[in-house]
């Protein structure tokens, strides 16, 4: 039996016309430098791939999930001087999110998951704010890079263009990854002040002061195989979450 189509960008009206979708997924990336070997679209391509794989798996089990086109711009206020970085401010993101939720609300799609692929994006404040305006649409955020225990798959996960991201990109878009010999070491400086080092104090990092090659994390041990294994675990986990979140009635969310 054919399962519900999940990819909105590729769907025709007739494909989805009569389907009552339960959940929309919004992949949200960024446009920023990723060391010398990964493309600017890395965060967007990763979020998009993971959303499609997980939604595909969930729909095969009978879910009705629709993946929206990915948003390619993230919060990059700390990287503006790096050529090609395109910043979208948190307040703009909130407006974008608002309009998407309003559209879903009109079509009675009552669940949305933002699949976030960029560390500078933080959707919690927007989700809390919009909760009041659209009480019928329940919105969740998943930072995929904190999901699926990546430390079990990589020797040194890395923060930005490191072993994890490089492995994933080698697997999903190897043709646009430069040979690893071109990559910088991804070395980064840490804060001197103890509170920041320990993580209980926070201030945004000025990227060019922290890293020379724009990477944070050593990509040299990356491989397509590692990326494939991690993605398989990650998308299984997300497929289960998407399925549960799409099926569970609101009054049964708590036990
Ligand atoms: Zn990235």
């Amino acid at each position: 039996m054919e399962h519900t189509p999940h990819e909105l960008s590729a769907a025709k009206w007739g494909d989805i016309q009569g389907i009552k979708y339960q959940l929309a997924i919004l992949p949200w990336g960024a446009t920023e430098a990723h060391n010398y070997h990964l493309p600017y679209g890395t965060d967007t391509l990763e979020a998009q791939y993971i959303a499609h794989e997980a939604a595909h798996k969930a729909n095969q089990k009978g879910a009705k999930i629709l993946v929206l086109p990915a948003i390619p711009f993230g919060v990059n206020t700390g990287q503006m001087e790096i050529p090609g970085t395109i910043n979208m401010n948190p307040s703009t993101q909130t407006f974008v999110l608002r309009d998407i939720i309003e559209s879903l609300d009109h079509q009675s799609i009552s669940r949305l998951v933002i699949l976030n692929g960029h560390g500078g994006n933080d959707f919690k404040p927007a989700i809390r704010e919009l909760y009041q305006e659209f009480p019928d649409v329940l919105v969740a955020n998943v930072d995929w890079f904190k999901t699926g225990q990546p430390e079990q798959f990589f020797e040194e996960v890395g923060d930005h263009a490191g072993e994890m991201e490089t492995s994933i990109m080698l697997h999903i878009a190897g043709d646009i990854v430069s040979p690893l010999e071109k990559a910088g070491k991804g070395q980064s400086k840490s804060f001197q002040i103890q509170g920041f080092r320990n993580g209980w104090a926070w201030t945004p990092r000025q990227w060019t002061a922290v890293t020379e090659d724009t990477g944070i994390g050593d990509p040299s041990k990356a491989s397509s195989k590692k990326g494939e294994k991690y993605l398989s675990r990650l998308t299984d986990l997300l497929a289960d979450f998407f399925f549960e979140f799409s099926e569970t009635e609101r009054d049964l969310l708590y036990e």
Side-chain angles (χ1 to χ4, degrees):
M1 195 189 83
E2 256 192 42
H3 57 80
T4 305
H6 67 272
E7 188 177 354
L8 183 57
S9 292
K12 270 67 71 181
W13 186 36
D15 299 336
I16 66 163
Q17 206 178 2
I19 298 171
K20 198 180 166 344
Y21 280 100
Q22 301 159 304
L23 168 66
I25 311 289
L26 180 62
W28 205 314
T31 299
E32 58 175 345
H34 272 76
N35 202 328
Y36 289 105
H37 62 296
L38 296 184
Y40 277 77
T42 293
D43 288 3
T44 309
L45 293 168
E46 288 167 338
Q48 195 169 270
Y49 177 91
I50 293 163
H52 283 141
E53 273 296 299
H56 177 73
K57 286 181 182 177
N59 284 6
Q60 279 183 320
K61 292 186 212 163
K64 291 189 167 62
I65 297 172
L66 187 63
V67 180
L68 310 183
I71 310 273
F73 303 122
V75 179
N76 281 92
T77 47
Q79 282 114 306
M80 300 280 257
E81 63 275 40
I82 302 172
T85 303
I86 305 298
N87 170 59
M88 185 186 274
N89 279 324
S91 50
T92 315
Q93 289 189 323
T94 304
F95 280 119
V96 171
L97 187 58
R98 190 205 161 276
D99 290 356
I100 290 169
I101 296 173
E102 188 179 38
S103 304
L104 297 175
D105 196 28
H106 271 288
Q107 295 156 30
S108 301
I109 298 177
S110 63
R111 301 287 161 93
L112 172 68
V113 173
I114 301 168
L115 192 72
N116 177 35
H118 172 61
N121 293 341
D122 178 5
F123 295 106
K124 276 194 203 169
I127 292 171
R128 288 187 207 277
E129 187 173 323
L130 295 166
Y131 188 74
Q132 287 294 328
E133 195 180 344
F134 300 99
D136 294 335
V137 184
L138 198 54
V139 184
N141 179 73
V142 173
D143 295 332
W144 69 257
F145 46 90
K146 295 177 186 162
T147 314
Q149 295 172 299
E151 64 284 354
Q152 293 182 0
F153 296 83
F154 307 102
E155 286 172 57
E156 196 193 314
V157 176
D159 187 4
H160 184 80
E163 187 180 325
M164 172 170 76
E165 276 204 307
T166 304
S167 299
I168 288 175
M169 286 299 285
L170 284 170
H171 180 59
I172 69 174
D175 53 327
I176 52 169
V177 175
S178 294
L180 285 186
E181 305 89 79
K182 291 209 168 167
K185 291 188 164 61
Q187 280 171 341
S188 62
K189 291 182 184 161
S190 307
F191 281 108
Q192 292 210 43
I193 298 169
Q194 205 49 245
F196 292 133
R197 290 177 87 98
N198 293 343
W200 51 261
W202 179 86
T203 191
R205 288 173 290 187
Q206 189 204 335
W207 216 253
T208 48
V210 171
T211 156
E212 275 174 21
D213 51 30
T214 79
I216 296 184
D218 178 6
S220 65
K221 299 210 173 92
S223 74
S224 168
K225 195 84 211 149
K226 286 182 184 176
E228 183 182 7
K229 280 188 182 162
Y230 170 61
L231 284 170
S232 163
R233 149 91 78 91
L234 176 66
T235 53
D236 278 348
L237 195 80
L238 285 173
D240 287 346
F241 169 70
F242 291 168
F243 190 83
E244 264 192 283
F245 188 56
S246 70
E247 295 268 306
T248 308
E249 296 294 333
R250 262 185 186 232
D251 48 359
L252 298 175
L253 277 176
Y254 312 99
E255 60 176 16

